[in-house]
Amino acid sequence: ETVLTQSPATLSLSAGERATLSCRASQSVRSGYLAWYQQRPGQAPRLLMYATFSRATGIPDRFSGSGTGTDFTLTINRVEPEDSAMYYCQHYAKSPLLTFGGGTRVEI
Amino acid sequence: QITLRESGPPLVKPTQTLTLTCTFSGFSLSTTGVGVGWIRQPPGQALEWLALIYWDDDKRYSPSLKNRLTITKDTSRNQVVLTMTNMDPVDTATYYCAHRSPIVDTAMADWGQGALVTVSS
């Protein structure tokens, strides 16, 4: 099983700054199998990025994904107060099908 | 528009069996590549994947919970049911169902609002 470790645990920023969130895998993963979700307080997770680089429907281009091998990054440019949320990375594999990281809390 | 909604008992006793139903619209579980999965989240904790069923009735389970889980589908009623046996207080969590589309086939593109299940005597 691939373990995903996210850092930092909490990221505090001011509006307009750039957020850089890290997701490190315990073994090399295919870029096509790495996704990111946003979960605002009291809400269900929302898919942000899939296959590392692809934005999900309706996601603004302030959000971008990058990475390869074991190190992946979610970047949020020009953060806004509505970006305050937990962010989870997720890996897709044969078994278990989905694994999630522990999350990063972003505070604006 | 795709929607999913979880339903089930908010409170179960230890050792009981939990049955959750996901009722969805906006897609069909008879379409090639489609799947519906279940993910849970204990209060204040991270997400944990539980199970997923595909359009062709292929089923996948979390290895750590496999012996306690059963996932089934009723395509005509647009429903997926998850049962979890021998419930324990550590199973207290919000349970989400989610849609796996043929286009975004390595992530869950759409989620229900979640159902909080508390396990307590």
Side-chain angles (χ1 to χ4, degrees):
Chain A
E1 174 179 340
T2 299
V3 176
L4 301 177
T5 302
Q6 293 187 240
S7 62
T10 302
L11 190 57
S12 298
L13 300 161
S14 299
E17 293 186 321
R18 174 183 296 172
T20 302
L21 286 68
S22 171
C23 176
R24 178 161 292 177
S26 59
Q27 57 189 306
S28 184
V29 304
R30 296 184 180 183
S31 61
Y33 293 169
L34 199 288
W36 291 89
Y37 298 85
Q38 176 193 66
Q39 186 177 31
R40 292 173 174 145
Q43 296 186 14
R46 175 174 72 146
L47 180 64
L48 290 177
M49 311 291 301
Y50 64 97
T52 299
F53 309 103
S54 299
R55 274 185 296 276
T57 303
I59 303 303
D61 59 9
R62 298 187 296 106
F63 291 85
S64 63
S66 62
T68 185
T70 60
D71 292 309
F72 296 84
T73 300
L74 175 70
T75 300
I76 313 172
N77 289 313
R78 305 179 305 279
V79 297
E80 301 177 359
E82 65 184 27
D83 299 332
S84 295
M86 287 292 295
Y87 292 82
Y88 294 96
C89 58
Q90 170 242 292
H91 176 236
Y92 172 91
K94 275 194 173 182
S95 181
L97 198 68
L98 302 178
T99 54
F100 293 90
T104 290
R105 180 181 306 276
V106 172
E107 299 174 339
I108 310 299
Chain B
Q1 181 186 4
I2 290 174
T3 64
L4 304 100
R5 176 172 49 86
E6 306 86 353
S7 58
L11 179 67
V12 297
K13 291 179 168 40
T15 75
Q16 286 187 336
T17 294
L18 170 69
T19 299
L20 292 169
T21 300
C22 177
T23 303
F24 56 86
S25 64
F27 66 93
S28 172
L29 243 183
S30 61
T31 300
T32 299
V34 171
V36 173
W38 287 91
I39 300 98
R40 72 178 179 179
Q41 185 174 39
Q45 298 186 39
L47 301 163
E48 178 185 19
W49 172 72
L50 300 177
L52 187 140
I53 189 165
Y54 292 96
W55 80 101
D56 59 358
D57 210 38
D58 184 19
K59 301 166 187 176
R60 304 295 172 90
Y61 295 102
S62 165
S64 61
L65 293 167
K66 182 176 183 178
N67 292 339
R68 298 174 54 203
L69 296 173
T70 302
I71 190 169
T72 60
K73 65 182 176 68
D74 185 333
T75 304
S76 63
R77 299 181 66 183
N78 283 351
Q79 290 183 330
V80 169
V81 175
L82 180 76
T83 61
M84 179 180 289
T85 61
N86 195 24
M87 293 292 285
D88 182 271
V90 300
D91 296 313
T92 294
T94 297
Y95 287 75
Y96 296 99
C97 65
H99 165 235
R100 183 254 198 192
S101 83
I103 299 173
V104 181
D105 59 358
T106 58
M108 307 306 284
D110 307 279
W111 294 61
Q113 63 186 12
L116 176 61
V117 177
T118 301
V119 184
S120 175
S121 55

